[in-house]
Amino acid sequence: MSSQPTLRMYVESRQGAAEGVVHLVLVPTEPGTNLPSWKAGAHIDLRSDDGITRQYSLCGRPSDDHFEVAVLNVPDGRGGSRWVHESLLEGAEVDVAGPRNHFELADAPAYLFIAGGIGITPILPMIREVASRDVDWRLVYGGRTRHSMAFAEQLVEEFGEHVDLVPAEERGLIDLAGVLDEQQPGRRVYCCGPEPLLDAVEKVMVDRDSETLHVERFSPRDDVDTSGDAFDVEIAASGATVHVEEGQSIIDALADAGITVDFSCREGTCGTCETGVLGGIPDHRDDVLDDAEKAQNDVMMICVGRCVVGPLLLDL
């Protein structure tokens, strides 16, 4: 299986969006190229010539003729943000794959958006969309300092009282109990940010049947668990059978058999390796699919997923 097609793009403009955050505008290197369509919540893959692949949320407008991303520099990360900050200068070229979306904005009579730090990026296009509708909405946006919060002043200027900025150095952490105190039947709550924030929101929302929570993670909830018995997967296109050893990932087993698939994080968070399941029942261990999507058992993340009932027939 060949890798997902990429589009060659270059950095048309680059500017600081906040302390430690760079905002890039990417346009196709080939004039007249139409960009793939996307909806609020989508992200793209940026792929370096050295093999680094990282996912960044689109923070522009779907109607634009360019892509926009904002990237936080994480000094102790895996090297992706450092590459963006040091190498993707104005005029630099980069391969872009996607967009793909596991954080789509669903219809609702009311919305609450909770963002922490760089987690504002996928939420920004959502806010622009709901602001054009006749619905109730609110954004609560936290960060270390006011200067570290990307697009903060822009959001206040554009949306006024709908936006509540919570810089920790001025106001402490977001008061989630207060923010989520009064339930609104039918409301959808969208949250993106660091794991402690997501975990705290999930705990408050756990018994709320009248509201729906949507979260997007940048890192796995727990240590990645690939333990479990061996099993077989079948490749739909060729009919070949691949044996997955105990503790081995499906991706690695496929690679050993000469079958190449797209992947990036290996942690079940980015969605790059999402693969259709045509038979068998997968053991979902990712943080991409929600409970309803997992129950359908028609796709899985093969970087961490295993098998409940096999063999798994994969749409490859």
Side-chain angles (χ1 to χ4, degrees):
M1 177 183 174
S2 59
S3 297
Q4 181 182 0
T6 58
L7 180 65
R8 194 70 171 174
M9 305 187 76
Y10 74 94
V11 181
E12 182 184 59
S13 70
R14 167 188 167 116
Q15 59 185 348
E19 195 175 86
V21 179
V22 64
H23 178 205
L24 305 180
V25 174
L26 304 170
V27 298
T29 57
E30 187 68 32
T33 300
N34 292 322
L35 293 179
S37 62
W38 61 279
K39 295 181 179 180
H43 66 260
I44 55 174
D45 296 353
L46 298 187
R47 299 179 175 177
S48 76
D49 293 335
D50 297 330
I52 294 176
T53 299
R54 295 292 185 268
Q55 294 72 38
Y56 298 107
S57 298
L58 290 168
C59 58
R61 294 173 173 81
S63 59
D64 289 340
D65 60 357
H66 58 262
F67 286 154
E68 294 182 38
V69 296
V71 180
L72 171 67
N73 190 17
V74 184
D76 57 349
R78 295 181 295 153
S81 64
R82 184 171 62 251
W83 160 62
V84 170
H85 277 251
E86 294 179 357
S87 300
L88 290 189
L89 309 178
E90 286 194 9
E93 295 188 6
V94 62
D95 285 330
V96 177
R100 62 173 62 87
N101 199 338
H102 292 284
F103 196 46
E104 289 193 22
L105 182 68
D107 289 336
Y111 297 90
L112 172 61
F113 301 99
I114 303 174
I118 200 62
I120 190 63
T121 50
I123 287 177
L124 185 54
M126 294 183 179
I127 290 171
R128 294 190 181 116
E129 183 172 335
V130 301
S132 66
R133 306 178 188 175
D134 185 20
V135 295
D136 176 50
W137 70 273
R138 178 188 180 196
L139 166 67
V140 181
Y141 178 17
R144 291 183 298 102
T145 69
R146 190 174 294 270
H147 297 299
S148 71
M149 299 168 65
F151 309 113
E153 298 307 320
Q154 173 186 331
L155 283 163
V156 172
E157 291 175 7
E158 192 170 351
F159 302 112
E161 63 183 15
H162 288 280
V163 177
D164 184 12
L165 299 183
V166 189
E169 70 170 4
E170 300 174 24
R171 299 179 55 187
L173 299 178
I174 296 173
D175 175 17
L176 292 177
V179 169
L180 293 164
D181 179 44
E182 185 176 344
Q183 297 188 45
Q184 296 184 38
R187 181 173 66 174
R188 292 184 181 270
V189 179
Y190 284 83
C191 183
C192 186
E195 183 58 31
L197 173 64
L198 302 186
D199 183 59
V201 172
E202 287 178 330
K203 288 178 179 177
V204 175
M205 293 284 294
V206 67
D207 294 322
R208 297 196 173 192
D209 296 331
S210 66
E211 297 179 312
T212 304
L213 174 63
H214 306 263
V215 301
E216 181 163 69
R217 286 181 155 81
F218 296 140
S219 59
R221 196 185 318 240
D222 301 301
D223 291 338
V224 178
D225 178 16
T226 58
S227 63
D229 295 336
F231 59 95
D232 289 335
V233 297
E234 296 179 357
I235 310 305
S238 66
T241 296
V242 176
H243 186 66
V244 183
E245 298 287 355
E246 179 180 350
Q248 183 183 34
S249 71
I250 297 176
I251 282 179
D252 288 337
L254 293 175
D256 290 345
I259 301 171
T260 302
V261 297
D262 283 328
F263 67 90
S264 177
C265 73
R266 284 184 171 271
E267 297 175 334
T269 57
C270 74
T272 302
C273 69
E274 179 178 328
T275 302
V277 179
L278 305 177
I281 300 178
D283 177 5
H284 299 285
R285 303 188 182 187
D286 63 88
D287 287 312
V288 177
L289 304 175
D290 61 29
D291 290 342
E293 291 168 330
K294 289 177 179 178
Q296 293 177 17
N297 289 321
D298 57 355
V299 296
M300 68 182 299
M301 306 303 144
I302 58 175
C303 65
V304 294
R306 297 192 69 76
C307 178
V308 175
V309 177
L312 293 177
L313 180 59
L314 301 182
D315 189 14
L316 295 172

Short mmCIF file of all heavy atoms in Angstrom, two decimals, residues 50-79:
data_model
loop_
_atom_site.label_atom_id
_atom_site.label_comp_id
_atom_site.label_asym_id
_atom_site.label_seq_id
_atom_site.Cartn_x
_atom_site.Cartn_y
_atom_site.Cartn_z
N ASP A 50 13.57 14.83 6.04
CA ASP A 50 14.32 13.87 6.86
C ASP A 50 13.44 12.79 7.47
O ASP A 50 13.91 11.98 8.27
CB ASP A 50 15.06 14.61 7.98
CG ASP A 50 16.09 15.58 7.45
OD1 ASP A 50 16.65 15.32 6.37
OD2 ASP A 50 16.34 16.61 8.11
N GLY A 51 12.14 12.80 7.11
CA GLY A 51 11.26 11.74 7.58
C GLY A 51 10.43 12.07 8.81
O GLY A 51 9.69 11.22 9.29
N ILE A 52 10.52 13.28 9.34
CA ILE A 52 9.68 13.68 10.47
C ILE A 52 8.27 13.94 9.97
O ILE A 52 8.07 14.64 8.97
CB ILE A 52 10.23 14.95 11.15
CG1 ILE A 52 11.58 14.67 11.81
CG2 ILE A 52 9.25 15.46 12.19
CD1 ILE A 52 12.22 15.91 12.42
N THR A 53 7.27 13.37 10.63
CA THR A 53 5.87 13.64 10.32
C THR A 53 5.16 14.06 11.61
O THR A 53 5.21 13.34 12.60
CB THR A 53 5.16 12.41 9.74
OG1 THR A 53 5.80 12.02 8.52
CG2 THR A 53 3.69 12.72 9.45
N ARG A 54 4.53 15.23 11.57
CA ARG A 54 3.81 15.71 12.74
C ARG A 54 2.47 16.29 12.30
O ARG A 54 2.33 16.80 11.19
CB ARG A 54 4.61 16.78 13.49
CG ARG A 54 5.90 16.25 14.10
CD ARG A 54 5.64 15.28 15.23
NE ARG A 54 6.89 14.87 15.87
CZ ARG A 54 7.60 13.81 15.51
NH1 ARG A 54 7.19 13.04 14.50
NH2 ARG A 54 8.71 13.50 16.15
N GLN A 55 1.50 16.21 13.22
CA GLN A 55 0.16 16.68 12.94
C GLN A 55 -0.08 18.03 13.62
O GLN A 55 0.24 18.19 14.80
CB GLN A 55 -0.89 15.67 13.44
CG GLN A 55 -0.89 14.35 12.71
CD GLN A 55 0.30 13.49 13.05
OE1 GLN A 55 0.74 13.44 14.20
NE2 GLN A 55 0.85 12.82 12.06
N TYR A 56 -0.66 18.97 12.86
CA TYR A 56 -0.98 20.27 13.41
C TYR A 56 -2.37 20.70 12.96
O TYR A 56 -2.73 20.55 11.78
CB TYR A 56 0.06 21.31 13.00
CG TYR A 56 1.44 20.97 13.51
CD1 TYR A 56 2.43 20.50 12.65
CD2 TYR A 56 1.75 21.07 14.87
CE1 TYR A 56 3.69 20.15 13.13
CE2 TYR A 56 3.00 20.72 15.35
CZ TYR A 56 3.97 20.26 14.48
OH TYR A 56 5.20 19.90 14.96
N SER A 57 -3.16 21.21 13.89
CA SER A 57 -4.53 21.61 13.59
C SER A 57 -4.57 22.82 12.68
O SER A 57 -3.76 23.74 12.82
CB SER A 57 -5.27 21.93 14.89
OG SER A 57 -5.35 20.79 15.73
N LEU A 58 -5.51 22.82 11.76
CA LEU A 58 -5.73 23.97 10.90
C LEU A 58 -6.47 25.04 11.68
O LEU A 58 -7.52 24.78 12.28
CB LEU A 58 -6.53 23.56 9.66
CG LEU A 58 -5.76 22.67 8.67
CD1 LEU A 58 -6.71 22.09 7.64
CD2 LEU A 58 -4.65 23.46 8.00
N CYS A 59 -5.94 26.25 11.68
CA CYS A 59 -6.53 27.32 12.48
C CYS A 59 -7.01 28.48 11.63
O CYS A 59 -7.37 29.54 12.17
CB CYS A 59 -5.55 27.81 13.55
SG CYS A 59 -3.97 28.44 12.93
N GLY A 60 -7.03 28.31 10.30
CA GLY A 60 -7.54 29.35 9.42
C GLY A 60 -9.02 29.16 9.14
O GLY A 60 -9.77 28.66 9.98
N ARG A 61 -9.42 29.52 7.92
CA ARG A 61 -10.81 29.38 7.50
C ARG A 61 -10.90 28.37 6.36
O ARG A 61 -10.08 28.42 5.43
CB ARG A 61 -11.38 30.72 7.06
CG ARG A 61 -11.49 31.75 8.19
CD ARG A 61 -11.88 33.12 7.65
NE ARG A 61 -12.15 34.07 8.74
CZ ARG A 61 -11.23 34.74 9.39
NH1 ARG A 61 -9.94 34.56 9.09
NH2 ARG A 61 -11.56 35.58 10.37
N PRO A 62 -11.89 27.49 6.36
CA PRO A 62 -12.02 26.50 5.28
C PRO A 62 -12.14 27.12 3.89
O PRO A 62 -11.83 26.47 2.90
CB PRO A 62 -13.30 25.74 5.66
CG PRO A 62 -13.36 25.84 7.15
CD PRO A 62 -12.87 27.23 7.45
N SER A 63 -12.57 28.35 3.81
CA SER A 63 -12.73 29.02 2.51
C SER A 63 -11.42 29.60 1.98
O SER A 63 -11.36 30.06 0.83
CB SER A 63 -13.77 30.14 2.62
OG SER A 63 -13.37 31.10 3.61
N ASP A 64 -10.37 29.60 2.80
CA ASP A 64 -9.09 30.19 2.39
C ASP A 64 -8.44 29.38 1.26
O ASP A 64 -8.67 28.18 1.11
CB ASP A 64 -8.12 30.24 3.58
CG ASP A 64 -8.53 31.28 4.61
OD1 ASP A 64 -9.28 32.19 4.26
OD2 ASP A 64 -8.09 31.15 5.77
N ASP A 65 -7.56 30.04 0.50
CA ASP A 65 -6.78 29.36 -0.53
C ASP A 65 -5.40 28.98 -0.01
O ASP A 65 -4.45 28.81 -0.76
CB ASP A 65 -6.66 30.22 -1.79
CG ASP A 65 -5.97 31.56 -1.50
OD1 ASP A 65 -5.64 31.84 -0.32
OD2 ASP A 65 -5.77 32.34 -2.45
N HIS A 66 -5.29 28.86 1.31
CA HIS A 66 -4.03 28.48 1.95
C HIS A 66 -4.36 27.72 3.23
O HIS A 66 -5.52 27.68 3.67
CB HIS A 66 -3.18 29.71 2.26
CG HIS A 66 -3.88 30.70 3.14
ND1 HIS A 66 -4.51 31.82 2.65
CD2 HIS A 66 -4.08 30.74 4.49
CE1 HIS A 66 -5.04 32.51 3.64
NE2 HIS A 66 -4.82 31.86 4.78
N PHE A 67 -3.36 27.11 3.82
CA PHE A 67 -3.50 26.46 5.12
C PHE A 67 -2.79 27.31 6.17
O PHE A 67 -1.73 27.89 5.89
CB PHE A 67 -2.86 25.06 5.12
CG PHE A 67 -3.65 24.02 4.38
CD1 PHE A 67 -3.00 22.92 3.84
CD2 PHE A 67 -5.02 24.09 4.25
CE1 PHE A 67 -3.70 21.94 3.16
CE2 PHE A 67 -5.73 23.12 3.58
CZ PHE A 67 -5.07 22.03 3.03
N GLU A 68 -3.35 27.34 7.38
CA GLU A 68 -2.70 28.03 8.49
C GLU A 68 -2.55 27.07 9.67
O GLU A 68 -3.48 26.34 10.01
CB GLU A 68 -3.52 29.24 8.95
CG GLU A 68 -3.62 30.36 7.94
CD GLU A 68 -4.40 31.55 8.48
OE1 GLU A 68 -4.26 31.85 9.68
OE2 GLU A 68 -5.15 32.16 7.70
N VAL A 69 -1.36 27.06 10.27
CA VAL A 69 -1.13 26.29 11.48
C VAL A 69 -0.36 27.17 12.47
O VAL A 69 0.36 28.09 12.07
CB VAL A 69 -0.32 24.99 11.22
CG1 VAL A 69 -1.10 24.03 10.34
CG2 VAL A 69 1.05 25.30 10.62
N ALA A 70 -0.53 26.89 13.74
CA ALA A 70 0.23 27.57 14.79
C ALA A 70 0.89 26.49 15.64
O ALA A 70 0.20 25.57 16.11
CB ALA A 70 -0.67 28.47 15.63
N VAL A 71 2.19 26.59 15.82
CA VAL A 71 2.95 25.50 16.44
C VAL A 71 3.70 26.00 17.66
O VAL A 71 4.47 26.97 17.58
CB VAL A 71 3.95 24.88 15.43
CG1 VAL A 71 4.74 23.75 16.08
CG2 VAL A 71 3.22 24.39 14.19
N LEU A 72 3.46 25.33 18.79
CA LEU A 72 4.17 25.64 20.03
C LEU A 72 5.51 24.93 20.04
O LEU A 72 5.59 23.73 19.74
CB LEU A 72 3.34 25.18 21.22
CG LEU A 72 4.01 25.23 22.60
CD1 LEU A 72 4.27 26.68 23.01
CD2 LEU A 72 3.16 24.51 23.64
N ASN A 73 6.56 25.63 20.39
CA ASN A 73 7.88 25.01 20.52
C ASN A 73 7.95 24.23 21.83
O ASN A 73 7.78 24.80 22.91
CB ASN A 73 8.98 26.07 20.48
CG ASN A 73 10.36 25.46 20.36
OD1 ASN A 73 10.51 24.30 19.99
ND2 ASN A 73 11.37 26.24 20.67
N VAL A 74 8.16 22.92 21.73
CA VAL A 74 8.24 22.04 22.90
C VAL A 74 9.68 21.52 22.99
O VAL A 74 10.04 20.54 22.33
CB VAL A 74 7.24 20.87 22.80
CG1 VAL A 74 7.29 20.03 24.07
CG2 VAL A 74 5.83 21.38 22.54
N PRO A 75 10.53 22.16 23.79
CA PRO A 75 11.96 21.80 23.82
C PRO A 75 12.22 20.35 24.17
O PRO A 75 13.17 19.74 23.67
CB PRO A 75 12.54 22.74 24.89
CG PRO A 75 11.60 23.91 24.92
CD PRO A 75 10.25 23.32 24.66
N ASP A 76 11.39 19.75 25.04
CA ASP A 76 11.62 18.37 25.46
C ASP A 76 10.70 17.39 24.73
O ASP A 76 10.46 16.28 25.19
CB ASP A 76 11.43 18.21 26.97
CG ASP A 76 10.04 18.65 27.43
OD1 ASP A 76 9.31 19.26 26.62
OD2 ASP A 76 9.69 18.38 28.60
N GLY A 77 10.18 17.81 23.57
CA GLY A 77 9.31 16.95 22.77
C GLY A 77 10.10 16.00 21.89
O GLY A 77 11.28 15.73 22.12
N ARG A 78 9.43 15.51 20.83
CA ARG A 78 10.04 14.52 19.95
C ARG A 78 10.79 15.13 18.77
O ARG A 78 11.28 14.40 17.91
CB ARG A 78 8.97 13.55 19.43
CG ARG A 78 8.32 12.70 20.52
CD ARG A 78 7.29 11.76 19.91
NE ARG A 78 6.18 12.48 19.32
CZ ARG A 78 5.43 12.03 18.31
NH1 ARG A 78 5.71 10.88 17.75
NH2 ARG A 78 4.41 12.75 17.85
N GLY A 79 10.88 16.44 18.72
CA GLY A 79 11.68 17.09 17.68
C GLY A 79 10.89 17.75 16.58
O GLY A 79 11.44 18.51 15.78
#
